[in-house]
Every structure is written in structure tokens, then in C-alpha cells.
Amino acid sequence: MTEPCPKLSARNLNVFYGAKQAIKNVSIDISREHVTALIGPSGCGKSTFLRCFNRMNDTIENARVTGEIRLDGRDIHAADMDVVQLRARVGMVFQKPNPFPKSIYENVAYGPRIHGLASGRAEMDRLVEDALRRAGLWDEVRDRLADSGTTLSGGQQQRLCIARAIAVDPEVILMDEPCSALDPVATAKIEELIDDLRGRYAIVIVTHNMQQAARVSQRTAFFHMGAMIEYGETSTLFTNPVQARTKDYITGRYG
Amino acid sequence: MTATSAPRRAPTNWTAPAMQARVAVRYRRERLFRLAGLGALCLAGLFLAFLLFTIVRTGWSGFRHSEVAVSVVFDAQALGIDPAVARGPGGVEAIRRADFNALMQRSAAAQLGPAADVVSEGAWLDLRAAVLADRGVLGQTRTLWVPVRSNIDLLAKGKFDENEAEVTRGVSNEDIADYHYLEARGLIRTDFNEIFVSAANSTDPELAGIWGAALGSLLTLLVTIGAAFPVGVLAAVWLEEFAGRSRWTDFVEVSISNLAAVPSIIFGLLGLAVFLNFFNMPRSAPIVGGLTLALMTLPVIVITARAAIRAVPGSVRDAALGIGASPFQVVVHHVLPLALPGIMTGTIIGMARALGETAPLLLIGMRAFVADAPKGLTSSATVLPVQIFLWSDDAQRGFVEKTSAAIMVLLVILLLMSSVAIYLRNRFENRA
Amino acid sequence: MTGLFPILLAVLALALLGYWIGRQRGLAMRRGLTIRIGTVHSLPVYHGLYVALTALLPAVLVLAGWAIVEERLVADRVIAAVPVDFRPVSEIDRGAFMNDVRGLANNALEAAFNPAATAVVPLYRATSEAFDLAAGVVAMTLLAVGGIWAFSRLRPDFRARSHVEKLLRWLLILASTVAILTTFGIVLSLLFESWRFFQIVPAAEFLFGTHWSPQTAIRSDQIGSSGAFGAVPLFWGTIFIGAIIAMIVAVPLGLMAAIYLTQYADARVRRVLKPMLELLAGVPTVVYGFFAALIVAPAVRDFGVWLGISNASGESALAAGLVMGIMIIPFVSSMTDDALMAVPAEMRDGSYAMGATRAETVTRVLVPAALPGITGGVLLAVSRAIGETMIVVMAAGLAAKLTINPFDSVTTVSAQIVALLTGDQEFDSAKTLSAFALGLVLFIITLLLNIYALSVVRNYREAYE
């Protein structure tokens, strides 16, 4: 399935961990307006695939990536692509909330600071407030910005991590099972937030929870054993899957 | 298997006297074994207590010394000092040139009578110090308490058995007579030994102090920490955060773990061969001692720093990388601040070891007799443990208490250092 | 060399200026722009650092290299100017002579030991100044060229951060190389000096000879005189004290201490006893040496005399070995502790479940299971004991004897190294060189012991993982 003007596109992507192939020849286009969900049984490679988009796999010692990924048509593996800038443009939210053991303010301000996005204290304050507002956290933390980020509840921590990613004004946000460590109430809040952020950022979310994929995404890709089995409109994929394996998975035959 | 071939075993009779006795023996063995364990620890503890007790018992008197009262006429004429010059800009120079030694001897001879030679050979320094502190004493008469010779000092502290025969006693009959002469007249007193804490080494026990060695230790440790800390931390960062697995990193790791086990004296040979003979660096200097100890401490710092860096959770690295921090920014902004307490603990432990180290420094000449506190990194110096070794080697009886007193100072510093290390470690562990 | 210090300061100051200029340039690039990711590649800080480091590094390298060779070059020139009759020949004389000259030149000395030194002081001053000046000019030129070149490259799309980080990466690699250089330094210096020693004294005689008396070789006509450098008595003394007497003390006590701490003591007792062992481990060896010489050695001698041993000495293998054993207890105890902890809890539980007492469990199950680990620990302790120096220097004596009488004085490899290298002596004499040969033997033996012991411990750990 191709979009008219994909934000991100992968072509013939393979990922190897040593001799083991984790991703097999995957091609996909990801649009800027939608939330795209990657689903599949655990160990199917969906997180590995997600980490290709901001080259976080570079940090894993024996990982090797072949094929190409383009962000706005530019190859992200090109020699002149600065991986640091790539990661600023393609933000990431991790499975477990991982705020820095610093103040809430510093957590959000860190990104803009290392990228030089604010030229003064006042501008930085504005950036931090803006990011926290958009992450729906501002009202909860406005009086305790100096407290450590680790004192927040799990759901708040994850929203802080989203605020941290938003603060550098990325074009894409990758979310790697952002709710798997959270309770249902916190999960609902994050899902609401994802809906709010849709349209402004291209969002790719990995989830093992099919209901969640159905709730938050407009496009869904189903992965199985490192291969992308099916990719399409979320509503179609869940109600009328083309592939038998997709059908088996969403009806709960395995997973 | 047939039922008949295996004879039926009678059930064990746990209450039979034989069995009861057996159990009793086993319990007795158990108690003995437990006692043996406790005994081993107690033995070690007793040894430690005995060692510390012996050191303190022989050493505490090193912090006190005996002085004799002499009244001195500071006759400017006799000293050859022009009072006007003494007050002027060249005054210090003029006072330093004056013969206070003669003045001291004259004063002692005049007042102490037969016991004039109890005065220490360095007592005149007190006279000069009095003039340097206040030019007003020129032309006046002052009563000063000046140090006595070591043997008299030891007599005053009761370190000699006066009933022993003169040959084996270690102190002459004349000295004993002199001491009693002074004591009877109330001219001798014992108080805090300011010479011991402010002077450098001397051939006379009563004039020897640890300040010079302490300063030498400080300078040496400054060089050690200045060299070993940055290099050690940078090497640890490289090994943990940047180096992939390769032959080269394996080689570095093997080198470090082997260096950690090399006897310290080998580092002395290295310092001698490389720093002194190859690079022609000055002998006995804190810079050479410090560098030698730095090479010795380096493995300790690298190993503990690596452990501390490894303990920083990977999620912090992911988070920072995920918003576009470069690997260096990750290290500088996140990993090092979090690992710092652990790194500091390791560094302090390494420094404590370096502070107590003697053998390698002997080889690079830091056993030289140094009568002045070192002025810089390249001047001749000695360090506390070497000073302890030199004094313990000295035949003069007065050095025994100085040795123990110096050990007390060294142990207190080491104890303070390890307390800081333990404090940091606990705080670090509680937070993690 | 002291003249280089102001130059270094000037270089650092200029590099700081370079940082400031680079940073200003970086700030100027951003003025008036709405900053988004990618507008300007690097932060102003990195532009500054790039200029500063590019300017600084070549200059500092030149100065460092110069500082290493300068003394030698100056010394060569100065000594060449000394009349032949007064010219110092040997390395150590040269060193002493140059110390004189330097002392006079810096006004630290009032009079020289060698009168010829006074005459060459002006030459020394002039040569040093000329050399310092030359180094300064070279360093400053490199600094200026590097700085200007770096500045000319600064542009919004210039990747200053990447360049700075590449430099820093080299700095890290350099730091980790120090460990390798140290290892090489040790091996090469020991090998080189030992090789020179074996030119004078055959290696076989050194390794297998039984007569050690290096003092006789001081007279030049006697160098290498037969039997003077047979190191067997030293090897024996080292093994006798470090591997036998010290271990007889340390192994049972350390083992029992560890057993008590891990199996019997509750947390409260451990909190008191563990720090005590750490304290025992933290006492400097010179303190143990003093204690051994002051208290233990006389007591051992008196005990020997009481036993009727006629040649009981005031410096004895027993005194040094006893104290060294005590010193090693914490080490043995902590190694045993680790080994016992590595035994799976199921084994212990299995033994208890059959009604075994704790003592039976420890002696029949835990210790046999942990034996490889404990053995490895003991070997490490031996390697530590035989390298230990101060206790034997102060309490064991310097008499090289092949004796199994613990009340007699013996000497060890490390004690002899200290004895051979302290005091003034010709550096090239067989006597001094023999210290390096001894060092080489000590280094090889401790290294082999360590490698073997660590592999034993590692295999043991892996067996239970």
C-alpha cells in the first residue's frame, strides 16, 4: 500500500542480529497524517523494525541493517545524514517510561538545549510549558517542575517522556509499546493523547494489544516472524483481513 | 527384583542410647566448629586491637615533648644585629645571619649550670623565631621554653629504667643527673610538641617532625590523582561506552587486570627505569613518585569506574539517544553524573592505597633525607610511609615514639579517607 | 624545562581565546534565524571547541615532545663544554652533575658539589633559553595556523560537533592505551635491564646458584665473581615466608573467618566484623612491618631461645611470615566468601534436609564444592604475599640463607630489590642490574600465578552458573 507522499518509507529492509535474521525484506510507506500501528505476536520483530526508523539499532553491537529507509525521500543511512539530527526529527517513546533522574523541567528542556532550540531562559520556559501542555501533563506538574521526573506516577512518567520527545518538535514519533507498563487508566490517557497528537506528527506505534491498535490507529501492519504479512486501513484489516495468518492472529488463534 | 533377596531393614531407633550419644557428639562438634570460626575472627580482631594499642601506647608521647626554661638576653650588639636594620626591609636577612646558636649556648651555660648541655642543638631556632615574630624583644630579656635533647625528653617521659646498668640502659649517668637537677628546680616541663607537627625530618629525634613528609605525601598524591583520575575515567568510558569487542580492547582489558595484580615494587622498578633513567626526571621528587603511584592506581580506578558506568541503567542511554543526544553527550550529561559516586569511591580507595605505599617510592629515591618541607613537585621530598620506614630503621631510641606517632597520623588520614568512601558508597547504594 | 611552562600557559590562554572567537562565530550564525533542527548543524560551544582544540593539540604535542627531549639535548651540550678531566661519564654522574647545574641556575643551590658545574651555568641558561624560545616559536606558529584554518571552516552546515567528538574519541583511546604502555614499560624495562645483567652473570648461575652475596661484586675487578649472584636462597626465602609460613597462618584463619561470617553470623555481627576485616586490609604494609620488627620479632626470638634454639635471630622468617599471614587474612576470607556464595543454595538445603548439622554441611558439602574457588583464592593470596615488600624488609632481614629454621633470618626477592637499589651506586653495576633480574622473576611468577588462579576461579564460577 503506498501513500501519495509518504513521510517515511522502507524498501526491502532486512535486519540481522549476528547470523539471525530479525526482519525479512519489509517494504512499507508511512503517511504523515495517520497513526500507524505495528502489531504481531511477541518476538515478531515489530520493535526491531520500529528502531530502524531512528537508527537506534546502531547502538546494538552486532545488529546489521540492509535495504533503505527514506525520511521525506532522503535516505537515512546516507553518509551525510547526521544520526543525531535524524533522532531529533524522529522522536521515540520507549516501552518502559525512562525519564532522566533529573527535574521534570530538565527532562523536557534537555532536548531543546542540546539542539540549541532556545536562545534564552524565557524561550526555554515557553518551550517546556508548550511541550508539557501538548502532552497533557502541564496542569499536573506546573507547581512541581523542580521535582525529580522519577517521582511521578508511571502514566505521568510516560507522558513526560512524550513531552520530552515533543519538545524538540520532531516530525515523526515512534512509540514502542508505550502502554505496556501502565494501568488501564493511564493507558486511556496516553491513547487520548495519541489521538490529540495525530495530524501534527506522523506517529508509528508498536503494540501487542489489538484493541489498542484498533482504537488509536488508522493504518495497521501485521508482522509475523520478521515478515510483514499485511498492511492496510485499520478498519479493513481488523474486519476483513486478506491473509489467513492475519485472520488467525486477530481472532486469537495464536499470539 | 525379588522380595526375598533384600533383607528387611529394622527401623532406625532414634531414641537408643547409642544414637543419642552419636547425636550429642555431632552437636559438640558443631559447637566446636562454630567456636573455631568465631575464634579465627577474634584472633584477627585481637591482633588488630593489639597492633593499634601498641602503636598508640608508644606513639602518643610523640605528640608531647619536654622543654627547659632558659632566660635569654637578646643583646642586639652581641648578636650582631642593628635594631634599626632589623626593623627595616632587610631585617629578616639580617636576623637570619645572626649567630643565635652562640647566644643559646651562652644563656644555657649561664643558667643551667652543670646541666647546660641538655638543650637541644636546634633550640636556637626558637630564639630566632622569637625575634622574627617580634623585633621588640631585641635588647630585652625573655624566659623561653626551649626543647631538650631526646634522651632528656625520654627521661622526662619515663621511658628509661634508671635502675638498669648504664651499659644496657641507653642513657648516660650524666644525663640522668642533669635531668634530676633540672626537675628539682622546676625548670623542665612537658607539653604539646609543636615541632613534631610543623618540622621536617632531622637527625635529632627531638627536632624531627612529620610536616615535611605530610606535605610530600600531599604533593605526591596530587600528582597521582591528577594523572590517574582523568586517564582512568577516560579509559573506563572508552571501554564501556565506545569500544566494541576487538582484539585491541581484549588486550587493553587483559593489561588492566594483570596490572592490578602486579606487586607494587615492580612499579618502583618501572619508575626507576623509565622516569628516572630514560626521561631523566629528578630523583626523590613528588612528580616521579606521583606518576609511579598513578600507574599503580590506574587499574583500580579503571576497574571501579567501569563497574560504576555499567551500573547506569541502559534506559537512560536510550532515552538520551532517542531525542538525538550524541554518544558523547550521553556520557557527559547522563552516564558520568550518575556514575560519579561510584567512581569517587574507587578513586578514594585507590588514593588510600597510594598514600600507604612505601616500596616503590624507596626505589625512586624518596627515602632521601629531606630536612626541609618540599617546595614544589620537583624538589626532593619524602612521604609519610617512607618517613615511618626511615625512622623505624633509625637506631636512636627517640625515634620509636616518633615512628608510632607518625603511624597514628597516617592511620587517622586513611581512616578519614575510607569513611568518606564508605559514606559515598552507602549513599550511592541507597539511591540505586 | 621550567621555561616551557610560561609558553604552555600562553598556548592555553590563546586556545581559550580561540574558543571564545569560535563560539562568537557560532552565535552570530544563529542571529535572526528561527532555529529548527538542521538550520545550524552544531551549537556555538562546538564551534568554539573545534577552533580551540585544532589550535591547541599540535602545539601541546610539540611542547610535550620537546619537554621530553630538551633536558637530554641541553645536558649533552652543557657537558660537552666541560673540560675533559671534569666531565661526568656514567649516567648517574651526569644526572648528579646536571642537578648541580640546574640547582645553581635556579638559585636553589648556593654551592655545587662539583666545582666544574659553576662554570657551565651561563651556558646552561643560554642553551635552555634558546631551546625554549625555539619550542615556543614552533608551538605558537602551529597554534596560529591551526586556529585560523579551523576558524575559516566554520559555517552553519559545518559539522563542528562531529569533528570535536572525533578528536575526543582519540583522547579516550589514548587514555586506554596508557594501561598497555605501562604493561609494555614494565616488560621492556625488566627484560632490557635483565638482559644486560645476564651479559655479566649467566642466567643459569642466577637461577640455580645457591650463593647470594651481591656486596662483594662492588669492586670492579670482582664483577661477576663466581657464586655471588645465585638467587636460589632468595627464591627459597620468598617461598618460605610468603607461600608457607604466611599461608599456614592465613588459610585456616581466613577460611574459618569466612565460614563463620557466611554461615553463622547474623547481620548485626557481620556489620561489626566485616569492617574490622576491611580495617585489617587497609593498614599500610609499613605499619605491619614496624609492628613486626618492634614487637613480633623480639617475641619470636625470645620464644626461640626459650625453646632452646641457639641461632634464634632478632630478624626471622617466622616473625615476617606471621605478620604477613595476618595481613593476608582479609584477602583469603573475602575470596573464600565469594567461593562459598557461589555454591548453589540447593546443595546446602539438600544437606540440611537430611539432618546434617551446619558444621557437617560446611565441611562435607560446601567446602568440597567450593574447593576450586578457594584454591584459586589461596593462589591469589600467595601471589600477593610473595610480592609484599615492607614486612620482609623490616622484619626478615637481608641474610640470604637456605634454611628451614623459621627462627633464622632469611631474605626475599622483594627485600633484596629494595636493598640493592637504595643508597648510591653505579647504575650499570651487576648489583643494580640484578635487582631488575629479580624483578623479572617476581613479575613472571606473580603473573603466572594470577592467570592460573583467575582461570581456576572463572571455571569454578561458570560450573555453577
Side-chain angles (χ1 to χ4, degrees):
Chain A
M1 162 164 207
T2 45
E3 297 283 340
C5 173
K7 186 75 197 170
L8 275 170
S9 66
R11 287 289 170 273
N12 309 326
L13 199 77
N14 294 289
V15 180
F16 301 87
Y17 290 130
K20 187 178 159 279
Q21 187 167 8
I23 293 293
K24 294 167 190 158
N25 204 29
V26 173
S27 299
I28 192 172
D29 283 337
I30 286 166
S31 89
R32 88 176 67 235
E33 294 87 30
H34 299 133
V35 174
T36 307
L38 310 180
I39 62 169
S42 47
C44 68
K46 52 195 192 298
S47 289
T48 302
F49 184 60
L50 188 76
R51 288 166 73 94
C52 290
F53 288 121
N54 65 347
R55 287 178 55 184
M56 279 299 273
N57 284 328
D58 290 10
T59 62
I60 298 167
E61 212 165 284
N62 59 351
R64 194 162 53 83
V65 180
T66 66
E68 66 171 32
I69 295 183
R70 291 181 179 276
L71 172 64
D72 283 338
R74 275 190 59 204
D75 184 2
I76 67 166
H77 289 106
D80 65 336
M81 172 60 79
D82 188 355
V83 64
V84 160
Q85 284 190 3
L86 170 72
R87 289 184 190 145
R89 291 171 63 192
V90 183
M92 187 162 205
V93 177
F94 296 83
Q95 194 167 353
K96 257 181 69 186
N98 55 355
F100 300 126
K102 298 183 177 196
S103 73
I104 292 170
Y105 183 94
E106 280 303 317
N107 260 283
V108 183
Y110 180 68
R113 186 164 293 148
I114 57 171
H115 294 297
L117 300 183
S119 55
R121 176 84 201 180
E123 201 180 342
M124 183 64 85
D125 287 350
R126 211 177 37 90
L127 266 175
V128 170
E129 181 181 337
D130 191 46
L132 284 169
R133 268 187 202 285
R134 271 190 273 159
L137 195 61
W138 175 251
D139 293 331
E140 291 160 63
V141 300
R142 60 190 308 168
D143 302 323
R144 43 191 287 214
L145 289 174
D147 289 8
S148 170
T150 51
T151 59
L152 296 173
S153 73
Q156 287 174 321
Q157 285 189 15
Q158 196 61 299
R159 277 181 285 149
L160 177 62
C161 292
I162 293 174
R164 186 174 65 190
I166 293 174
V168 292
D169 202 20
E171 296 151 43
V172 182
I173 300 178
L174 309 174
M175 296 188 176
D176 187 0
E177 304 199 24
C179 303
S180 65
L182 304 181
D183 61 65
V185 177
T187 301
K189 277 206 165 151
I190 301 278
E191 286 179 7
E192 232 172 83
L193 175 58
I194 292 172
D195 215 44
D196 289 344
L197 297 175
R198 172 161 61 94
R200 182 161 181 154
Y201 313 99
I203 294 176
V204 186
I205 177 170
V206 163
T207 175
H208 61 272
N209 178 333
M210 282 177 287
Q211 283 76 24
Q212 185 171 61
R215 282 194 300 265
V216 301
S217 73
Q218 291 74 48
R219 297 277 184 278
T220 298
F222 170 59
F223 278 72
H224 183 54
M225 295 180 67
M228 190 173 76
I229 308 299
E230 191 168 347
Y231 178 40
E233 299 257 351
T234 302
S235 47
T236 325
L237 189 127
F238 276 98
T239 51
N240 198 7
V242 179
Q243 299 287 333
R245 269 184 293 178
T246 315
K247 192 177 170 197
D248 287 350
Y249 180 69
I250 59 177
T251 53
R253 289 269 188 88
Y254 62 91
Chain B
M1 192 177 327
T2 52
T4 48
S5 66
R8 272 184 66 90
R9 213 176 119 184
T12 310
N13 183 2
W14 294 103
T15 52
M19 191 51 93
Q20 292 281 336
R22 194 181 152 72
V23 169
V25 168
R26 287 175 60 206
Y27 272 119
R28 201 155 53 237
R29 279 203 201 119
E30 162 76 14
R31 274 195 300 277
L32 278 175
F33 190 71
R34 189 195 167 105
L35 275 178
L38 193 59
L41 278 163
C42 286
L43 210 62
L46 273 178
F47 178 87
L48 183 66
F50 183 50
L51 183 144
L52 294 179
F53 171 75
T54 309
I55 301 289
V56 173
R57 197 192 49 152
T58 51
W60 73 271
S61 60
F63 293 101
R64 301 175 62 76
H65 72 162
S66 307
E67 296 166 320
V68 61
V70 181
S71 81
V72 182
V73 185
F74 286 97
D75 184 351
Q77 205 102 56
L79 281 168
I81 304 174
D82 180 351
V85 174
R87 285 189 183 77
V92 175
E93 195 60 27
I95 293 169
R96 284 191 183 281
R97 270 200 308 271
D99 191 355
F100 283 96
N101 197 3
L103 175 64
M104 183 72 245
Q105 282 174 15
R106 276 200 308 278
S107 310
Q111 288 164 55
L112 302 178
D117 73 333
V118 300
V119 172
S120 162
E121 278 178 34
W124 60 271
L125 286 165
D126 278 11
L127 273 50
R128 191 175 75 182
V131 177
L132 282 173
D134 175 16
R135 311 284 144 84
V137 300
L138 283 176
Q140 297 195 0
T141 304
R142 288 284 161 91
T143 301
L144 293 177
W145 288 93
V146 296
V148 296
R149 278 188 295 114
S150 178
N151 270 354
I152 307 294
D153 178 42
L154 294 177
L155 275 168
K157 290 169 179 166
K159 299 267 177 182
F160 289 114
D161 180 1
E162 294 178 24
N163 299 320
E164 222 177 304
E166 189 176 4
V167 204
T168 54
R169 197 202 292 131
V171 61
S172 66
N173 287 336
E174 289 81 16
D175 280 350
I176 294 180
D178 289 350
Y179 168 63
H180 287 300
Y181 175 85
L182 293 175
E183 201 201 12
R185 283 159 186 76
L187 290 172
I188 196 160
R189 72 168 189 192
T190 302
D191 75 346
F192 179 68
N193 187 351
E194 70 283 342
I195 295 177
F196 182 68
V197 293
S198 65
N201 199 5
S202 165
T203 46
D204 300 313
E206 76 274 14
L207 299 174
I210 54 161
W211 179 243
L215 207 59
S217 273
L218 181 72
L219 290 173
T220 306
L221 276 199
L222 282 179
V223 174
T224 304
I225 200 168
F229 182 76
V231 173
V233 172
L234 292 181
V237 165
W238 189 69
L239 286 171
E240 281 301 313
E241 299 283 326
F242 294 97
R245 292 212 64 79
S246 70
R247 251 159 220 269
W248 179 251
T249 34
D250 284 348
F251 195 36
V252 173
E253 288 188 19
V254 168
S255 292
I256 289 170
S257 64
N258 282 334
L259 282 181
V262 169
S264 63
I265 189 146
I266 302 285
F267 286 96
L269 289 174
L270 173 74
L272 177 60
V274 173
F275 295 134
L276 294 190
N277 291 336
F278 189 73
F279 286 127
N280 281 324
M281 289 165 96
R283 259 178 101 79
S284 313
I287 181 132
V288 178
L291 287 176
T292 306
L293 293 181
L295 294 181
M296 196 190 83
T297 329
L298 189 67
V300 181
I301 295 183
V302 175
I303 290 168
T304 47
R306 285 187 71 181
I309 290 171
R310 214 175 302 141
V312 174
S315 64
V316 171
R317 292 185 183 85
D318 279 351
L321 286 172
I323 42 174
S326 70
F328 268 93
Q329 288 171 329
V330 174
V331 169
V332 176
H333 297 158
H334 300 285
V335 175
L336 282 183
L338 290 172
L340 201 61
I343 296 176
M344 291 307 293
T345 311
T347 308
I348 295 172
I349 291 171
M351 287 304 123
R353 253 184 66 185
L355 176 60
E357 197 54 71
T358 321
L361 300 181
L362 291 178
L363 300 194
I364 53 160
M366 290 192 85
R367 60 172 289 152
F369 178 84
V370 182
D372 284 314
K375 287 183 199 69
L377 293 179
T378 51
S379 58
S380 279
T382 189
V383 294
L384 276 174
V386 174
Q387 187 72 79
I388 290 166
F389 170 66
L390 292 176
W391 282 348
S392 78
D393 229 19
D394 201 301
Q396 291 184 73
R397 192 140 171 193
F399 277 117
V400 174
E401 60 173 23
K402 308 285 176 214
T403 313
S404 294
I407 288 176
M408 285 165 72
V409 172
L410 180 63
L411 288 182
V412 166
I413 297 175
L414 286 174
L415 211 60
L416 286 177
M417 286 173 80
S418 26
S419 308
V420 173
I422 290 170
Y423 170 76
L424 277 173
R425 188 169 64 193
N426 287 347
R427 233 187 54 174
F428 185 49
E429 275 173 0
N430 290 345
R431 209 183 48 188
Chain C
M1 205 156 122
T2 43
L4 290 182
F5 193 65
I7 299 175
L8 183 68
L9 282 186
V11 165
L12 287 176
L14 284 175
L16 210 63
L17 180 71
Y19 170 77
W20 187 78
I21 293 174
R23 190 163 169 273
Q24 289 304 313
R25 181 99 176 85
L27 283 171
M29 286 172 199
R30 309 165 69 87
R31 215 154 282 146
L33 293 172
T34 342
I35 299 295
R36 282 187 49 86
I37 302 280
T39 331
V40 177
H41 179 278
S42 299
L43 292 181
V45 177
Y46 290 105
H47 287 113
L49 279 176
Y50 178 69
V51 174
L53 289 175
T54 316
L56 188 65
L57 289 180
V60 166
L61 282 180
V62 164
L63 287 182
W66 195 247
I68 291 171
V69 295
E70 186 184 16
E71 277 303 314
R72 210 166 261 258
L73 293 179
V74 173
D76 283 348
R77 281 212 180 182
V78 167
I79 287 171
V82 176
V84 182
D85 297 345
F86 301 102
R87 201 173 288 168
V89 185
S90 75
E91 196 67 23
I92 198 142
D93 284 347
R94 273 174 63 114
F97 182 80
M98 286 313 293
N99 269 338
D100 271 2
V101 175
R102 228 167 296 154
L104 290 170
N106 302 335
N107 296 321
L109 272 183
E110 280 166 25
F113 298 104
N114 188 336
T118 323
V120 290
V121 168
L123 177 68
Y124 172 80
R125 283 216 183 103
T127 321
S128 292
E129 265 165 34
F131 279 16
D132 285 349
L133 192 69
V137 168
V138 174
M140 290 296 172
T141 313
L142 283 173
L143 183 98
V145 171
I148 291 168
W149 178 71
F151 182 77
S152 72
R153 297 184 72 189
L154 300 186
R155 266 200 309 265
D157 61 345
F158 177 67
R159 300 188 167 187
R161 198 201 64 243
S162 315
H163 283 90
V164 168
E165 291 184 347
K166 220 170 275 170
L167 281 175
L168 291 179
R169 195 175 274 256
W170 277 106
L171 190 71
L172 296 190
I173 293 176
L174 199 70
S176 63
T177 317
V178 171
I180 291 181
L181 287 179
T182 311
T183 311
F184 268 116
I186 290 177
V187 172
L188 288 183
S189 58
L190 291 180
L191 277 179
F192 179 64
E193 307 289 355
S194 302
W195 179 74
R196 283 170 59 188
F197 174 68
F198 292 133
Q199 307 266 297
I200 308 172
V201 177
E205 186 190 320
F206 172 74
L207 289 174
F208 304 112
T210 56
H211 183 59
W212 177 266
S213 83
Q215 305 304 334
T216 58
I218 253 183
R219 294 210 304 278
S220 53
D221 56 323
Q222 272 195 345
I223 279 183
S225 62
S226 62
F229 286 100
V232 170
L234 312 189
F235 300 150
W236 166 245
T238 307
I239 292 167
F240 193 36
I241 293 180
I244 299 177
I245 301 178
M247 289 306 129
I248 289 176
V249 176
V251 172
L253 288 179
L255 197 65
M256 286 313 291
I259 288 171
Y260 188 82
L261 281 174
T262 54
Q263 309 297 320
Y264 288 99
D266 57 28
R268 201 166 41 86
V269 177
R270 258 203 303 274
R271 258 208 305 281
V272 180
L273 291 178
K274 268 240 164 111
M276 183 204 83
L277 283 181
E278 280 172 23
L279 210 60
L280 208 56
V283 173
T285 55
V286 69
V287 177
Y288 280 115
F290 175 66
F291 185 76
L294 186 77
I295 305 286
V296 182
V300 165
R301 182 196 54 212
D302 294 347
F303 181 63
V305 170
W306 181 77
L307 281 179
I309 293 164
S310 55
N311 58 351
S313 159
E315 290 179 320
S316 60
L318 188 57
L322 277 178
V323 174
M324 196 186 282
I326 303 267
M327 187 192 85
I328 298 285
I329 288 177
F331 190 77
V332 174
S333 159
S334 89
M335 295 304 293
T336 310
D337 205 325
D338 292 349
L340 288 175
M341 284 305 198
V343 178
E346 299 84 48
M347 279 200 192
R348 200 181 53 185
D349 293 348
S351 169
Y352 284 146
M354 290 172 57
T357 62
R358 282 199 215 191
E360 286 159 355
T361 307
V362 169
T363 51
R364 308 266 173 93
V365 179
L366 292 185
V367 170
L371 202 58
I374 296 174
T375 316
V378 170
L379 287 179
L380 286 177
V382 170
S383 112
R384 197 168 252 226
I386 62 177
E388 166 46 39
T389 310
M390 291 321 290
I391 295 177
V392 281
V393 167
M394 293 165 87
L398 289 173
K401 280 183 216 162
L402 268 172
T403 172
I404 53 160
N405 175 3
F407 294 96
D408 207 346
S409 93
V410 297
T411 191
T412 69
V413 171
S414 54
Q416 281 300 319
I417 294 176
V418 170
L420 291 165
L421 290 179
T422 49
D424 289 324
Q425 72 287 93
E426 290 283 316
F427 191 76
D428 301 336
S429 77
K431 187 184 155 201
T432 3
L433 292 177
S434 69
F436 285 89
L438 289 175
L440 183 66
V441 172
L442 187 62
F443 177 72
I444 290 174
I445 292 191
T446 50
L447 195 67
L448 290 179
L449 262 177
N450 265 287
I451 291 173
Y452 178 67
L454 285 176
S455 78
V456 167
V457 172
R458 198 167 38 239
N459 289 341
Y460 163 67
R461 291 255 168 78
E462 278 164 8
Y464 286 125
E465 258 163 18

